[in-house]
Amino acid sequence: MPLSASALHRRGVEAANARQFTRARRELEKAAARTDDADLRARIDGTAAYVLAQTGEPAAAEALCREALARDGLQAETVALLGGQLGALLMHGGRMEEAEASLTTAIDALAATGTETPALANCLMNRAVVRMQRHQLDTCMADLRRAISIYEAHDERDSLAEATHNLGYAALLGGDLVSALRLMAESRPTFAATSALATAISDLDRAEVLRDAGLTTEAEALLARVAVQFGAQRMRQARGEAEFHLARSLVRHDPRAAARAARTAARRFTALGSSGWAARAAAVELEARQRIRPDRPLDAAAWEQVAQELDRSGFRTEATALRLSARRDGTGRRLPRIPASAPTPLRLRAQEVRAARAAGRGRDGEALRAAATGLDLLSAWQRSFGALDLQASVAMHASDLVFTGLAAAVRRRDPATLFEWSERARHLSQQVAPVRPPHDDALAADLAELRMLRADLAGADWTTDPTVRALRDRVRERQWSATGSGATRERRTLAETTALLSADTAVLAYVYTGTGLHGVVVQPDGATLVDLSWPRVRAALDGLRADLDMAALTRDGAMGPVTARALTARLAVLDDELLGPMRRAAAGAARFVITVPGILGGVPWAMLPGMHGVPFTLATSVSRWFDGEASAPSAPSVGFAAGPRVPRAAEEVQRAAESWAGRGTTRTLQDTTATVSAVTALAASVDVLHIAAHGRHAVDNPLFSGFELADGVLFGYDVDLIDRVPRTVILSACELGRSSVRWGEEALGMTRVWLHAGAEAVIAAPVTVPDDDACELLTAVHEGLAGGASPADALASAALRTGVSAPFQCHGNGF
């Protein structure tokens, strides 16, 4: 027996909800042909309108919906449902005020029946999206929570997942990145079970969370994938939205690519008649052009025309942001008023513009105050989370403020001001002390599975595997949710620093403004500002890593002398241009605390001629260095672990352990006993930990850096599962002292992972080190440590005794 029109309509609705639009269209056409019932036909047309909108025919969708609404004799409930559908169509077209009015009328009519149905919940959810876009977050969340309760009562699991996901998106707009990711992750399995397209739609929003968290590489890769999926399904509106969000992600670090993506999205939206979305894309293109050519006068009328279209479409926050950017050139036009209740990114934008305008007028004091106010706003936001990668990555939102403040501080020529701003930049991602998460068995299980997958995919790019991506996402999400924020660490002033420094110690604080390199030398009797040649330093840095790696690998070959000479010449330039002027200003100092911007994170300071045998520590900030513990245990416990396939690893740990005979207790793991679980258990029970193993730095996600043990890689995320980390950590593994630069100032790598977890000092190398050098130098380091020397002093004296020049250096509180 043929299915009834009502049954065919239900099948069409189910197919549309599963994003199977071709099947939905087929079922709806059959349903329409089998009924003369006016109400059912109107409901079929309402669903068909949704399918038309999703497949790139919004004008036809709106016309069909309005035609159905205009028919005589429809029941009140049918009129309400069609009104809700029209509101959803207007919402997708960016006509937010009309959409909210239509949806509110529908909600009131459906609520008047006295029964809370899934249809009412659908309208509430759509109105929540409208209010979300208009940044009316309190009423948005109220609508979503009401919709969630209705879906729960009716066991509507798919719709419940969508509402939960949208609640996560509202959390994102409110600045709660951790809750946003948690709620989206909670709903994702339901989408995955529905269809690949449903998953892609949820990933579109999830990419925004990653972007706002500063993880732009991952966000952009995700947006590129979902744009392709939407294109394959002829979902032109969704594809345009993915391209728009891609442009927004690119605008800070690749404005040319952002402008291209925004133009493509704007053309797509214009063809669809989505004027509001077209204006959003046009706004991103304008901002990208401004970043490409900041010296070019802007067309104020064109900017205001786009802002007015954003206002008309209900995107008032974006309109205000665009008007702020239009006034960055300081032409005298007043800035729009930004209320204290405005979103944090908008308030940060306002301070960026104020600082840039003041700097352009030569008012450096005003520029510094505006930039400092903006960074204080960011600091308040950072207090809501404690995870290291999240704290470091959100520095994206402060990059313009930091560089404007640093440049203004340099122009003031006041060492105290420049030191304050150096500390602001260094301290940005570590001013909130983390609350270590409790042990998470599920997280440990995910990391164990990743270890197995990495072994199975050896020789291939394991990061492209879908299962690996899903596990990596889950690991990060668990860690973000589990790591809380604790007390706020205070920054030290120049006066406090000079008062606390010992007579033989100097601080060498390097400052990069985006265009120039400068330094502040601090000693007990005062501070000196030093100008450095950034062009010459930059020329020496280009190719440095390749020279270091080549020199380590070709030492005994025919190319050995050639690469050694090239490296020696490059290091000599860095010694002359980077270190020499600072050392001369610090005459009389015997040890150094060095703080550097991310751009200098790969400098092998220990290999510079002027630092051979000189104790120094690379502090994450002077403030953190002062806050470290100075005293070490009189009889420390020491742990050693040797990973596989390192020729002299067993010898290295054995000789190092012998240095502690009669001075402390030692335990050693090697061969099959050096497993991840055994090494992490060892780390939790010792004061000094030494690991000799092959290591690799993960550029895109530094917390997946790690070293190879008997049963796989110990990742940076594994460190967070250690209840108590050692005071001193020695990583005899290539690359694990390396960092990835985040937004010009932030550098993140395995050393920072251990320091963030609570270690006082980490000795590691940023590049490949010959096994012989590592063995000789680091065993000598233990002689110093066992004799009571600090890590930095032990490393310096070991270099003198052995004559080994290697890039191992001390990070954190080395003395």
Side-chain angles (χ1 to χ4, degrees), residues 302-390:
W303 283 62
E304 181 57 27
Q305 183 179 355
V306 174
Q308 289 177 6
E309 182 57 42
L310 289 169
D311 272 331
R312 281 193 294 272
S313 301
F315 299 111
R316 293 193 174 87
T317 297
E318 291 175 44
T320 302
L322 188 65
R323 290 187 174 104
L324 281 169
S325 294
R327 288 156 175 75
R328 188 184 290 266
D329 61 0
T331 54
R333 291 169 293 165
R334 295 186 63 180
L335 297 180
R337 189 180 68 85
I338 310 298
S341 59
T344 299
L346 182 62
R347 289 188 289 157
L348 284 170
R349 173 83 63 94
Q351 297 305 327
E352 282 179 13
V353 171
R354 289 190 179 98
R357 284 162 63 97
R361 295 170 180 169
R363 300 175 181 174
D364 288 329
E366 185 180 334
L368 289 167
R369 287 191 295 274
T373 299
L375 292 181
D376 289 342
L377 277 173
L378 182 69
S379 298
W381 185 23
Q382 283 180 309
R383 293 186 193 112
S384 64
F385 37 76
L388 172 60
D389 56 343
L390 189 51

Side-chain angles (χ1 to χ4, degrees), residues 501-544:
L501 279 177
S502 60
D504 65 342
T505 304
V507 171
L508 309 182
Y510 289 87
V511 173
Y512 176 63
T513 65
T515 57
L517 187 65
H518 309 268
V520 180
V521 175
V522 184
Q523 294 179 276
D525 59 352
T528 305
L529 192 152
V530 179
D531 295 319
L532 302 167
S533 173
W534 172 236
R536 288 196 285 271
V537 170
R538 181 176 55 197
L541 288 175
D542 290 342
L544 173 63

Side-chain angles (χ1 to χ4, degrees), residues 387-390 392-393 447 472 475-476 479-480 696-706 713-720 740 742 748-750 752-753 756:
L388 172 60
D389 56 343
L390 189 51
S393 296
L447 289 167
R472 284 169 55 135
V475 165
R476 179 179 54 224
Q479 199 245 12
W480 281 14
R696 284 293 178 266
H697 175 71
V699 176
D700 289 340
N701 192 334
L703 271 80
F704 280 110
S705 301
V713 177
L714 190 155
F715 297 112
Y717 281 113
D718 284 299
V719 176
D720 262 344
S740 291
R742 296 287 180 91
L748 186 61
M750 198 64 161
R752 282 287 301 276
V753 171
H756 184 77

